[in-house]
Amino acid sequence: MDNINALLRELPAVDRLLREPLLEELQLKFPRKVVLQAVQETIDSYRSRITSGSSDLSELPQAGELHPANLACEAAALAEKKAGLNLKPLINATGIIIHTNLGRAPLSKQAVEALTGVAANYNNLELSLETGKRGSRQEHLESLICEISGAEAAVVLNNNAAAVFIALNALAGGLEVVVSRGQLVEIGGSFRIPEIMAASGAKLVEVGTTNKTYLRDYEAVVNDNTAAFLKVHSSNYHMVGFTAGVETAGLAELARKHNLLLIEDLGSGVFLDLEKYGLPHEPRVQDSISAGADLVTFSGDKMLGGPQCGIIVGREDLVARIRKNQLARALRVDKFTIAALEATMRLYLDEEKAITEIPVWRMLAADPALLEMRAKVLATRFSEIVGFENVSILEGISKVGGGALPTAELPTYLVALKPVNHGAEEIVKKLRLNDPPVILRLQHDMLLFDPRTVFEDQEDILVQALEMAYRD
Ligand SMILES: *Cc1c(COP(=O)(O)O)cnc(C)c1O
């Protein structure tokens, strides 16, 4: 007990700690309040360690640990953490290219430049430089999107969920919309076709069965209240076995025959031929337009590789009705999105540029031989930290992610680490708490690093992070 009282007396006071040079300096850099909070929390945590030490002696701080300089050091680290941003860049070593938890698509340098230029300056968001009169924010994008997709008109909204929602509300509110039972999907936990439809005011009419739907199923339910057929791309799941669906062209023809609309929710926003890069077939936006879909919707931050947004392309008269809808203002995009999307879309004017400059496509099309070379270099550097015998290179699989191409397997080379002196979970946590955080895969107690999603200029930082994680 005497021991405990002595330790408590030794614990420096808040004022004393704040006078430590390290913390005085920090008060010039960060708000005093943040530093004060960090100091109080540091002292509190030592105090509770000391008092709980009455039941567990191993918990008690050792002599010297309570020295003001030591506590100041800990408080400073805590203050740095508190003053830092919560949302920050990190290193994705998972090999999942479009990871919704990790912010989906990283932007190209062209998009980042466009974005920062517009962010830091005034800009012509809604000013026509030609006439000097008020312009539309959508004008910066429309002709470019039309040129690439082959559509008559385009409008950009907050995300694809918003795009589907507003299209249904504007064109089919109070009317019936026919959807195949095989396409009543849920994407990302909160986007569910039946719920979105109910919220939009359109009435869902289900046709067909889970695995098979035919054109005649659609035709059988058409009546005076039918407004549209909705075709939804089953982005995040794949049916195998005996299945039958209806092609866009056939459905478009049936829609025209009955004077109805065909709306297609493509999800991913692919403009390039994936098969050319050894990936499974994925319908492209321009194919749906040329097959006769009246409207096509897709995300900006999935396979398109741009900022979060939802894009609607298609018939001019329909896009005009969507623009006039009350919700268009509530769901509209901001100047940052427009800047980043325009710069991204411009890269699609030249496929070669799109593949090399848009990070999502660069990662998708990465040459396995190059990935193997990068894995070998990383493995050599890792082995200097954890010992040669604990590092190996495995053939593995990267994933597209983001609810796109769920069955696509991209062959890759993984650097695998056997954890030494530390549990695997502990290393994973230390890497996650690193600055910048490193996110990786843990499988059968092995730490797996996939070079496909690690940018080349992040490799040094990755090695440093591992060094830190193994340090103590
Ligand atoms: C991802 C996806 C959505 C939702 O798009 P967000 O941009 O995330 O709102 C809707 N429909 C399909 C088919 C999708 O794949």
Side-chain angles (χ1 to χ4, degrees), residues 104 159-161 187 191 232-233 235 265-267 299 302 309:
R104 289 197 182 163
N159 57 13
N160 188 35
I187 289 151
F191 180 86
V232 184
H233 186 48
S235 310
D265 174 14
L266 271 185
S299 294
K302 291 184 180 173
C309 60

Side-chain angles (χ1 to χ4, degrees), residues 125-144:
L125 181 65
E126 292 192 350
L127 174 75
S128 159
L129 296 176
E130 212 50 58
T131 65
K133 299 214 171 75
R134 182 167 184 169
S136 155
R137 63 179 61 210
Q138 297 284 345
E139 266 166 29
H140 305 289
L141 293 164
E142 189 173 19
S143 61
L144 185 60

